[in-house]
Amino acid sequence: MNVVFLNQFERLAAQGQPEEQAHVYIGEQQGVWSAGWKPADSASASEADLWYEGMSWEELLASFRHGIAGKMRLGFRPLIDGMLEETPFWDRRPSLPQLLQCYADLQPPNEMADKLRLWRRSKASEEKKSAFLIATNRELHMLAVYLPRTMEELLEIPGFGKLKADKYGGGLLAVMKDAEREHPYPLESWVPGAVSAEQLSEWLFRLKEDKYGKTLTDVREKRSLLFAIRDGKSLEQLEGDLNCPRRSLVERIEKLDEEGYDVLPIVEHELAEISAEEIGKIESALGELGDKYLKPLLRKVYGDLKTNDQETERQYEKLRMARIRFRRVSRTAV
């Protein structure tokens, strides 16, 4: 194996002396990439971890970063800095929002968080929007931990600016008004002292690990989808094989097309199930209205929106597939 990259990691003991040492590496042999972790102590060779082996550079990098974040969360630090970003964040002065989020995440869930989620669900249903657009799970957890009682206190919670506080603050404060709390406001008077450097470091690296773990999952799912498209599978087959809703599949296929991947096999397969007359209407609407917005195309081709959500969803699916082919033909013609 040809070693392309090598870096040493150390975890220090309480006395400041190296307790454990290991190496991370990226290697290549006959076009096959590999990345992993090797303890420097030969007696610990069984703890070696192969993070990736294959031909995808994109998946290798995602696996490499995810593995590094996990090791750094456990206290290992690199001999050469900048493994995950240019300026190591453990050397920076943490911001107050970071400290507030970290402290809240260290606290266990409580009953107030459940009450706030019930309020959010009701509000989302009332406004006919996704619950996370009203407040994220993390924001609700911070509210349950810090229990603001006034609009001024609510504004101290990360994620609650004036517009959001004005719109939802009254309802949120009403849910929390009778809850007992033991800490004072302003939060900056005590939270920074309640979070140790070790707790903050572990929390920051856990966020990195989660981030790169999601990236790795996305890369692997993209690879699986591309292989399935190459093999000539239909949307119905992909829905079962990948355990993914049809709408999400179509959106991901559109994204793959934007990235330059060949998705025409599945597009042509799905469009072949549509009548020539319907395809003609869709292509005529695309030529007249353009391909930027789907709702005008839907009205042009199918008339007023139907009350049947399933039927409307199927119509959007047809438009998305036809739009992919329309854009591909347009790019080819230029």
Side-chain angles (χ1 to χ4, degrees), residues 9 11 24 37 49 51 62-77 83-84 89 201-202 204-213:
F9 275 65
R11 180 160 59 184
V24 294
W37 173 270
D49 192 2
W51 293 336
S63 302
F64 186 65
R65 288 167 175 160
H66 179 248
I68 287 174
K71 293 300 182 181
M72 294 178 84
R73 179 176 61 81
L74 296 176
F76 287 94
R77 294 293 179 267
M83 294 293 295
L84 299 178
F89 56 72
S201 178
E202 181 179 353
L204 287 169
F205 280 117
R206 178 157 49 82
L207 294 185
K208 288 290 182 183
E209 188 177 16
D210 291 345
K211 171 187 172 182
Y212 290 122

Side-chain angles (χ1 to χ4, degrees), residues 133-197:
L133 294 175
I134 295 173
T136 65
N137 288 337
R138 167 165 283 170
E139 288 167 350
L140 294 186
H141 181 65
M142 284 192 288
L143 290 177
V145 170
Y146 294 121
L147 297 170
R149 291 177 179 164
T150 67
M151 291 293 284
E152 290 73 19
E153 291 178 351
L154 179 62
L155 291 171
E156 292 189 37
I157 308 300
F160 287 90
K162 190 174 188 313
L163 290 177
K164 192 168 185 175
D166 287 344
K167 187 170 184 178
Y168 299 119
L172 290 166
L173 294 175
V175 175
M176 297 181 287
K177 65 182 179 66
D178 295 327
E180 295 184 10
R181 77 179 190 205
E182 300 177 354
H183 55 262
Y185 274 77
L187 298 176
E188 63 180 344
S189 67
W190 63 274
V191 171
V195 178
S196 69

Side-chain angles (χ1 to χ4, degrees), residues 205-258:
F205 280 117
R206 178 157 49 82
L207 294 185
K208 288 290 182 183
E209 188 177 16
D210 291 345
K211 171 187 172 182
Y212 290 122
K214 183 179 184 305
T215 300
L216 180 57
T217 298
D218 291 344
V219 168
R220 288 173 174 169
E221 288 180 349
K222 180 169 78 172
R223 181 185 62 180
S224 298
L225 181 54
L226 285 169
F227 283 165
I229 291 173
R230 184 197 63 186
D231 292 341
K233 293 193 174 183
S234 66
L235 270 178
E236 185 176 358
Q237 289 172 315
L238 289 177
E239 190 176 12
D241 291 350
L242 303 180
N243 192 28
C244 182
R246 287 176 70 96
R247 179 173 181 175
S248 296
L249 281 172
V250 175
E251 290 173 348
R252 287 164 62 184
I253 290 169
E254 276 194 304
K255 186 176 180 181
L256 288 175
D257 178 65
E258 292 169 1

Side-chain angles (χ1 to χ4, degrees), residues 36 44 46 59 83 142 163 191 200 222 237 260 266 283 293 296:
S44 304
S46 60
E59 188 172 351
M83 294 293 295
M142 284 192 288
L163 290 177
V191 171
L200 179 64
K222 180 169 78 172
Q237 289 172 315
I266 193 169
E283 291 178 344
Y293 300 109

